[in-house]
Amino acid sequence: MTLVAPQDGTIERFSTIEKARHWLKRKWPIADITRDTALAQIDAAMDCMSPVKDARHAFLIAALCARYRPERQMQAA
C-alpha cells in the first residue's frame, strides 16, 4: 500500500505488516480509535489469529482518518 501524507505530500510505501505496525506505534500523526483498532488487527494477524486482509483494511481506515490518501487517488485527481 502506498500512501501520500497530507502535510507535505511525501509518499510512503507499506509493503510489510511490520512497517505498518511500526508507523502506527511510532510515527502516526494522531492517536484515535481507528489507530488503536488497526494496531489490534495487525497484532492479531501477526499472531495468526485473524486474516491479514482484516489488518490491511483496518490500516487503510486509520490512514484515511489521519488524512493520508492512497497514491492512486492522487494520480487520478
Side-chain angles (χ1 to χ4, degrees):
M1 178 181 307
T2 303
L3 300 174
V4 179
Q7 307 87 339
D8 58 7
T10 57
I11 295 173
E12 193 63 43
R13 287 175 178 71
F14 295 89
S15 58
T16 66
I17 198 167
E18 293 85 3
K19 182 173 181 176
R21 185 174 187 267
H22 173 77
W23 268 69
L24 286 167
K25 290 187 98 166
R26 305 280 186 223
K27 297 185 175 189
W28 212 243
I30 61 171
D32 65 0
I33 189 71
T34 61
R35 175 189 163 271
D36 296 343
T37 300
L39 274 171
Q41 286 292 325
I42 286 173
D43 286 342
M46 290 177 82
D47 290 337
C48 300
M49 300 301 291
S50 69
V52 173
K53 69 177 182 142
D54 292 349
R56 187 179 299 117
H57 179 75
F59 181 74
L60 178 59
I61 297 299
L64 293 174
C65 288
R67 302 189 65 209
Y68 283 90
R69 293 292 170 250
E71 184 181 31
R72 60 182 164 75
Q73 282 188 356
M74 296 300 293
Q75 292 172 350

